[in-house]
Amino acid sequence: MATLDQAVPPEGAAGPEGESLENPRRRDWLQYAAVSFGAVGAGVVVLPLINSMNPSADVLAQSTTEVDLSAIEPGQAIKATFRKQPLFVRNLTQKEIDEANAVPLSALRDPQTLAERTKEGHENWLITLGVCTHLGCVPLGAGEGENRGPFGGYFCPCHGSAYDTAARIRQGPAPSNLVVPDYEFTSDTTVTVG
Amino acid sequence: MSFPWAKQYAPKHPVMQWIDEKLPLPRFVYNAIGSGYPVPRNLNYFWNFGVLSGVALVCQIVTGVILAMHFHSSAAGAFESVNGTIMRDVNAGWFLRFAHANGASMFFIVVYTHIARGLYYGSYKAPREMVWLLGVVIFLLLMATAFMGYVLPWGQMSFWGAQVITGFFSAIPVVGDWIRIWLLGGYAPDDAALNRFFSLHYLLPFVIAAVVILHIWALHIPGSSNPTGVEVKDEQDTVPFHPYYTAKDGLGLVVFLIVFALLIFFAPDMLGHPDNYIPANPLSTPAHIVPEWYFLPFYAILKSFTFDLILPAKLWGVLAMFGSILLMFFLPWLDKSPVRSGSYRPMYRIFFWIMIVDVFVLGYVGGAEPIARNVILGQIASMYYFAHFLIIVPIVSRLERPKPLPNSITEAVLAKGKSGETAVSA
């Protein structure tokens, strides 16, 4: 039986449309081009379907929060909300600052100094998300009288992650320190988060 | 498949004849679940659980569609619409809500029994691998659907379940946080997440129904397995599905419905978590957060990784949890034993029962506080779970000397009947 290649007319012969058949595989290119073009088209249609599930404009619009610090005494913490997540704002005591600075970086899973986690001149203000970096529970310790765990910072009841006075991970399954969001002091007693 | 002795559809009524000529749907049903489908004569009551799973799916779809008529999918209105409007005001709303919630538990009870049946009797072995693979797909879809359904009432467990389960995806390196934010449509569970979960919770049961059709289709190519694991040889080995197994399944269904009714009417909250009667509070996690009972064994595997080992503990936990289900896809090729039924496999049978106990231990650990004793227990049980499928089953299938198999299903049935008679006379 004749194969496709054998069915090709001899070199130099003209095809039915008068075109040269020197390169009998030339038309395969059309097939690749058509299929590729179809794939690109399908991809372009799928993108908005996927992208529609990313945060919408009204969610992104909640992206900054102002916190008034004036009422928070040293040793106290408040829970504010930032992007619908809890935000811990703690006024550290001198003792807690000293404790945090006394920890050698080599003892930490996610090494960071307290100074790196606070703003210059405002070392007593520890502002972190109240979201455990393990699976997202709210650690205890910001509320009055809550269990602050073995390192005197925060303690997550879900899987037992313990954070120190600089909210750095010290024990348990969480992989990293409580996240410090972007923020800046707009005055001595107000910060804008986000 | 149809064995050569399967009865052929012969419509008597002219209307049925007229339909059958144009669209042979009656013929299709007759060959699938009617007298035209010959089934081994020796099936025991463990073979009821496929039909019961199907019934549970139908119950969930029917009650679910009606509940959706009264549900408000918004963070502000969801809790009140479920615990207020549906439970107090909608006619028989309390019944529908409890039927749907406990229906999920009933669904998992019958599905877990169905899976254990398949594991014991080797129903996953050639030529039924495709039936098994499709079953694992259904199981994954079922878990995703149940999770999203549990989020909808927007109680404390709903909210924090959504937070933790979408948190699994943030364990993925590099793209994890992006995937989590994409799943939630925000930075924490809120309206966007609740709305999409509602949409997908409505969609997935219909996907499940479609895969169930493929599951049954794939089963009907080789025909049903049976407790001896010996294939059907001739007409003596089978009886028509209808009326023999429609009746037997009917009896099983009555028992299923009695248990279901007892749950709904006398213990509707027994299997639920009381914290889900507290509205979602994004600023406070309940002190003891646990998933629904049917996720506990997998949750225990997740919790068992408390130490970093090259990869972070969090990623290990998530990989192990998904791996514990995904490895089921490879089971037909991990078990090399040519003997299907555990009844003729003395070694396999012992390890099978240890594995069942192991799953219950994992379930206990999943619900218990993460104190040192429980963590170690969970780690041992998790290791055993993987060892069972990846080490013990492949080795046992090579070493074991199976008991002699009966020559045919009929021979096995008659031998059993005979020994029963002698026992009575003696």
Side-chain angles (χ1 to χ4, degrees):
Chain A
M1 239 176 81
T3 65
L4 192 65
D5 292 283
Q6 288 163 333
V8 170
E11 209 166 299
E17 308 286 313
E19 64 193 295
S20 163
L21 285 178
E22 271 172 24
N23 185 358
R25 295 253 166 248
R26 220 161 52 92
R27 279 187 221 185
D28 290 353
W29 183 86
L30 269 181
Q31 200 179 336
Y32 300 139
V35 170
S36 310
F37 201 73
V40 169
V44 169
V45 172
V46 167
L47 273 179
L49 301 183
I50 294 173
N51 192 32
S52 76
M53 283 173 68
N54 274 322
S56 55
D58 60 322
V59 172
L60 292 172
Q62 304 159 347
S63 58
T64 62
T65 300
E66 266 201 2
V67 185
D68 178 13
L69 306 178
S70 56
I72 311 171
E73 301 290 327
Q76 277 189 333
I78 62 158
K79 284 183 196 175
T81 47
F82 168 60
R83 294 175 174 169
K84 303 240 173 171
Q85 293 170 293
L87 181 76
F88 290 169
V89 183
R90 178 178 288 284
N91 191 347
L92 295 172
T93 61
Q94 192 55 46
K95 183 168 165 283
E96 286 168 334
I97 295 173
D98 295 341
E99 266 177 45
N101 287 333
V103 180
L105 283 184
S106 58
L108 298 171
R109 181 179 293 170
D110 182 9
Q112 265 187 321
T113 61
L114 179 64
E116 284 167 354
R117 294 173 60 72
T118 52
K119 295 284 182 219
E120 213 180 329
H122 301 281
E123 272 84 6
N124 60 321
W125 290 108
L126 179 66
I127 300 179
T128 60
L129 288 183
V131 180
C132 179
T133 53
H134 184 223
L135 291 171
C137 298
V138 180
L140 301 172
E144 195 73 39
E146 284 179 353
N147 177 12
R148 293 178 63 174
F151 296 91
Y154 300 105
F155 179 72
C156 180
C158 287
H159 302 95
S161 293
Y163 298 87
D164 67 11
T165 51
R168 296 173 297 200
I169 180 66
R170 298 296 294 277
Q171 184 184 304
S176 52
N177 304 332
L178 288 189
V179 173
V180 176
D182 290 334
Y183 68 93
E184 58 182 18
F185 280 83
T186 40
S187 76
D188 264 1
T189 57
T190 26
V191 285
T192 305
V193 185
Chain B
M1 146 156 185
S2 191
F3 295 111
W5 56 88
K7 286 189 199 161
Q8 289 306 309
Y9 182 64
K12 291 194 187 72
H13 197 279
V15 174
M16 297 309 278
Q17 264 170 9
W18 184 87
I19 295 175
D20 192 53
E21 282 165 12
K22 275 84 185 168
L23 179 73
L25 189 62
R27 179 177 301 268
F28 177 78
V29 173
Y30 183 91
N31 291 334
I33 51 170
S35 314
Y37 180 54
V39 186
R41 59 193 280 187
N42 60 337
L43 302 190
N44 61 32
Y45 278 105
F46 284 107
W47 265 260
N48 280 29
F49 288 85
V51 166
L52 296 182
S53 308
V55 170
L57 176 64
V58 171
C59 285
Q60 291 304 86
I61 290 178
V62 171
T63 53
V65 166
I66 297 174
L67 286 170
M69 296 174 186
H70 308 285
F71 174 71
H72 295 239
S73 73
S74 73
F79 187 85
E80 178 54 26
S81 80
V82 172
N83 291 288
T85 313
I86 290 174
M87 291 296 283
R88 280 201 300 270
D89 300 339
V90 173
N91 298 319
W94 61 270
F95 168 73
L96 290 167
R97 193 270 174 111
F98 282 144
H100 196 69
N102 287 289
S105 286
M106 292 301 290
F107 205 154
F108 276 96
I109 290 171
V110 295
V111 162
Y112 282 137
T113 314
H114 190 62
I115 294 172
R117 190 286 316 269
L119 289 174
Y120 183 83
Y121 291 109
S123 304
Y124 50 84
K125 291 189 189 183
R128 296 185 184 80
E129 301 98 318
M130 187 57 82
V131 187
W132 176 258
L133 299 180
L134 290 165
V136 180
V137 171
I138 294 171
F139 183 51
L140 288 167
L141 288 169
L142 180 60
M143 292 203 289
T145 309
F147 154 62
M148 287 190 275
Y150 195 55
V151 171
L152 301 184
W154 213 241
Q156 272 290 66
M157 284 294 161
S158 301
F159 182 93
W160 292 101
Q163 172 85 329
V164 167
I165 291 183
T166 55
F168 294 165
F169 294 90
S170 69
I172 301 168
V174 189
V175 291
D177 282 317
W178 179 82
I179 292 177
R180 179 168 180 276
I181 289 170
W182 176 72
L183 286 171
L184 287 174
Y187 304 95
D190 198 18
D191 273 318
L194 177 60
N195 269 308
R196 69 191 52 186
F197 284 6
F198 182 44
S199 172
L200 294 174
H201 183 66
Y202 210 116
L203 168 71
L204 287 185
F206 297 98
V207 179
I208 292 177
V211 185
V212 166
I213 289 171
L214 298 182
H215 190 61
I216 298 171
W217 186 5
L219 171 69
H220 283 220
I221 304 295
S224 300
S225 69
N226 71 87
T228 65
V230 175
E231 289 294 313
V232 167
K233 292 203 168 69
D234 57 32
E235 189 170 0
Q236 272 205 310
D237 291 344
T238 65
V239 289
F241 189 86
H242 179 75
Y244 295 96
Y245 285 112
T246 43
K248 190 166 185 167
D249 285 334
L251 179 60
L253 179 60
V254 169
V255 176
F256 170 88
L257 291 175
I258 289 172
V259 176
F260 196 2
L262 286 173
L263 268 182
I264 296 172
F265 294 115
F266 296 102
D269 289 319
M270 184 176 77
L271 297 172
H273 199 292
D275 277 24
N276 222 28
Y277 281 114
I278 303 169
N281 178 358
L283 296 188
S284 166
T285 311
H288 189 197
I289 172 169
V290 282
E292 289 280 81
W293 71 264
Y294 37 78
F295 291 138
L296 289 175
F298 305 105
Y299 193 59
I301 293 175
L302 170 85
K303 288 203 292 188
S304 289
F305 286 85
T306 51
F307 47 87
D308 296 354
L309 190 82
I310 307 168
L311 300 175
K314 180 179 168 183
L315 181 56
W316 271 119
V318 171
L319 288 176
M321 189 192 59
F322 283 107
S324 67
I325 299 164
L326 295 180
L327 79 86
M328 292 283 176
F329 279 116
F330 302 97
L331 184 58
W333 295 276
L334 290 168
D335 184 353
K336 296 274 189 203
S337 172
V339 176
R340 291 196 189 86
S341 172
S343 302
Y344 302 93
R345 301 184 59 193
M347 269 170 90
Y348 174 79
R349 194 162 52 191
I350 295 167
F351 288 110
F352 169 83
W353 286 112
I354 297 176
M355 202 274 290
I356 296 292
V357 172
D358 187 63
V359 170
F360 277 95
V361 171
L362 283 172
Y364 164 76
V365 171
E369 303 265 357
I371 55 172
R373 181 182 66 104
N374 290 334
V375 170
I376 292 168
L377 188 62
Q379 287 168 342
I380 294 169
S382 301
M383 260 189 310
Y384 187 82
Y385 180 93
F386 283 96
H388 174 84
F389 289 104
L390 296 175
I391 301 169
I392 295 172
V393 162
I395 290 178
V396 163
S397 66
R398 283 174 176 79
L399 294 184
E400 177 179 56
R401 180 183 289 256
K403 291 200 258 181
L405 291 172
N407 288 316
S408 73
I409 292 170
T410 302
E411 189 190 282
V413 171
L414 294 180
K416 208 174 177 185
K418 216 173 275 165
S419 66
E421 275 164 31
T422 49
V424 169
S425 60

